[in-house]
Amino acid sequence: MRGMRSWVTSVGVGLVRAFAVVAVALLVPVVWAAAVLLGIAWGPSNPWSWLAPAVLVGVGTLGLSRPVCRTVRFLVARWSSTVIASGYRRPGPVTQLTTGYWWNGFGYERTDRDAVLDQKMRLRWRDPANWRDLRFVVILPVTAGLVAAVPPAGVAAAVLGFGGSGFLANGVGVLGVAVALGSAPYAWRSLEPVAVRFLRPSAAMTLADRVDELTAQRADTTIAQAAEIRRIERDLHDGAQARLVALGMSLATAEKLMERDPERAKALMREARTGAATSLTELRDLVQGINPPVLNERGLVDAVRAFALDSPLEVRVEADVELRLEPPVESALYFGVVELVTNAVKHAQASRARISLTRTGPDLVVVVEDDGRGGADPRSGGGLDGLRRRLAVFDGTLEITSPAGGPTRARMMVPCASW
């Protein structure tokens, strides 16, 4: 009884999935058929009557290719848990240069809007994934679509056969039922191997994506380093340097007043001492902004704990790792934690946060959670996207879960098997 119930269930599920595969596979051929009928209706002997159908075929195929492929990936992932990466090239950040122009990775534009539009058009035509999608919508109807059409064809034969009269019609109906029931559990399964074979990114596309990602990361690193150097120069020029110049002038004046006005000279010496202490504090803060001394001396965990003590939030730090990573990796994770907690204070209005550092298999995982109002958006060019790109330099990832109303959970992962 249980076996019969299972078979009936598989037949029902198979019929539904087979119809779904056929519907998706026939979208583009239906457009082609409509174009042919349109051309015949306008006069097949007139060459100009085929101009509009040809445009319809081109536009319809281009417009449907990505939705069809997206639907196929969704069905394969839903039915077989096989995730097929899309492999589409993602737009890089659009950056304004010191000249005022905007750089989009391909060229310079006067406004950010023009830069974004130009970037989209170039990606649309240069992305090899689009041509792969066009190839797939042509292959799909004659492979998985044709196999999946067997159960629907059996159902159609059964309806026509039992709707007629006579022994032959009944025989066709019985044969249709047998074909539909026998093929339904298996016909839709051809979609997965066909999609994996023709829809996944090729090795060349994967390599090209990796090269593009590394190029973007190199550009980000160059821009970030230049900005950091300008910040250090500005802080030194406006802070410590100005105070040291004033300190020298005060000492010179005090030297001249030492014999004629000792009290005035002592007051200047006291001011100079105060200025020297202030300059020393500013230099220490500046050095800490480059890399906190506790991070260099005691590692990531203690540096995060020290940061938590100074945070305006109630921060709890949990760690079960004591490893020392490469300095660039420790610095990236530390400033990632700092940025996430700072965002919780500035944007999410959080009151508490929890930071956990754990080693999961070969990966180091750092999770930052807060009780704020959520809504964190890792949009392209934003701070969270910049953090994601900094982690990607080390093959790390950043996952953000931040529904409206909160809470926010950020998970940073960096491979550390070789450290």
Side-chain angles (χ1 to χ4, degrees), residues 72-125:
V72 168
R73 290 191 197 93
F74 171 77
L75 295 177
V76 171
R78 182 71 179 272
W79 295 344
S80 63
S81 301
T82 300
V83 177
I84 302 175
S86 63
Y88 298 125
R89 289 185 178 177
R90 290 182 296 185
V94 177
T95 308
Q96 187 176 21
L97 305 179
T98 56
T99 58
Y101 282 79
W102 293 81
W103 169 254
N104 60 12
F106 300 97
Y108 302 93
E109 299 292 339
R110 290 184 178 275
T111 65
D112 57 341
R113 179 176 176 275
D114 292 342
V116 171
L117 291 176
D118 178 71
Q119 185 186 55
K120 287 183 178 178
M121 289 298 297
R122 290 175 184 268
L123 285 177
R124 186 72 178 175
W125 290 107

Side-chain angles (χ1 to χ4, degrees), residues 304-322:
V304 171
R305 285 177 174 150
F307 167 73
L309 293 175
D310 297 331
S311 173
L313 298 180
E314 180 184 341
V315 181
R316 186 178 65 183
V317 180
E318 301 171 353
D320 61 358
V321 290
E322 297 295 338

Side-chain angles (χ1 to χ4, degrees), residues 13 30 33 51 73 103 150 170 182 234 239 246 302 364 372 375 394:
V13 172
V30 165
L51 181 60
R73 290 191 197 93
W103 169 254
V150 174
N170 291 333
R234 184 175 61 251
D302 287 338
L364 177 63
F394 310 103

